[in-house]
Amino acid sequence: MQNLIATYSPIKILLAEDDLDDQFIFSDTIKQLSTSIELTIVNDGQGVLDVMRSNNNFIPHIIFLDVNMPKMNGIECLIQIRRNKILKNTPCIILTTSTAPKDIEETYNHGANLYFEKPIGYTDFVKMFNKLFEVNWADYFPPKRESFFIAKTYQ
């Protein structure tokens, strides 16, 4: 797999995020990008599984998961994604405020491809997306430990 822009148009993104402000910033940033993107938003990990069960034709090209969500958190959802034969090779990005070593290690061990500390504003979101769109995903299955966690410097 190459980078997302070279491989898909539009790029189908599935975001699992319970915070409405974060959903808005994520969505608003995507609208400003020149890349063609279809965004689906769910409020928790269970929503990811529900979308996949209800629409067999929808297969996201990339999944963003918050760690701390109600019903099913991002780690529990990640475990289910990696067990799913259709989704197991889909890039999964952890996008969270948590920088707890336990969360970083656990998501790495369960097959997340990248772990981003949540950007604060529009500019950092754009930098994050630019980084994601240039990644060669073949290098992130599995990711190298030293390139897995990315804090607020997205360049």
Side-chain angles (χ1 to χ4, degrees):
M1 177 186 288
Q2 298 175 357
N3 69 43
L4 294 172
I5 291 175
T7 308
Y8 306 109
S9 184
I11 298 170
K12 295 178 186 174
I13 295 177
L14 179 56
L15 170 66
E17 172 61 64
D18 63 319
D19 185 283
L20 295 178
D21 291 335
D22 289 340
Q23 288 178 5
F24 175 78
I25 292 171
F26 191 99
S27 176
D28 195 49
T29 302
I30 282 178
K31 290 175 188 170
Q32 307 302 319
L33 299 174
S34 60
T35 305
S36 178
I37 297 172
E38 288 179 14
L39 176 62
T40 301
I41 299 175
V42 296
N43 293 316
D44 53 52
Q46 185 59 52
V48 171
L49 303 180
D50 292 345
V51 165
M52 298 312 298
R53 281 190 199 110
S54 68
N55 186 351
N56 291 334
N57 296 325
F58 175 73
I59 300 173
H61 300 124
I62 189 166
I63 300 171
F64 287 85
L65 300 169
D66 188 7
V67 169
N68 301 307
M69 296 182 290
K71 292 186 184 176
M72 180 185 289
N73 70 37
I75 296 169
E76 295 165 333
C77 183
L78 177 62
I79 291 167
Q80 295 302 313
I81 289 168
R82 291 303 180 228
R83 289 180 181 161
N84 182 300
K85 61 184 168 186
I86 295 171
L87 295 178
K88 70 180 180 182
N89 294 319
T90 302
C92 289
I93 310 304
I94 304 301
L95 184 62
T96 186
T97 57
S98 172
T99 57
K102 175 187 173 288
D103 290 338
I104 295 167
E105 186 66 21
E106 195 168 358
T107 56
Y108 180 86
N109 290 336
H110 287 297
N113 302 94
L114 275 170
Y115 191 109
F116 277 104
E117 184 178 1
K118 229 178 242 183
I120 294 177
Y122 172 77
T123 302
D124 283 341
F125 263 101
V126 169
K127 288 178 184 177
M128 180 193 75
F129 280 114
N130 287 337
K131 170 111 176 119
L132 286 175
F133 293 152
E134 64 189 37
V135 164
N136 180 348
W137 289 103
D139 296 336
Y140 284 83
F141 279 94
K144 295 176 181 75
R145 280 192 185 274
E146 61 273 12
S147 61
F148 178 67
F149 173 64
I150 301 177
K152 289 192 174 134
T153 50
Y154 303 105
Q155 298 178 0

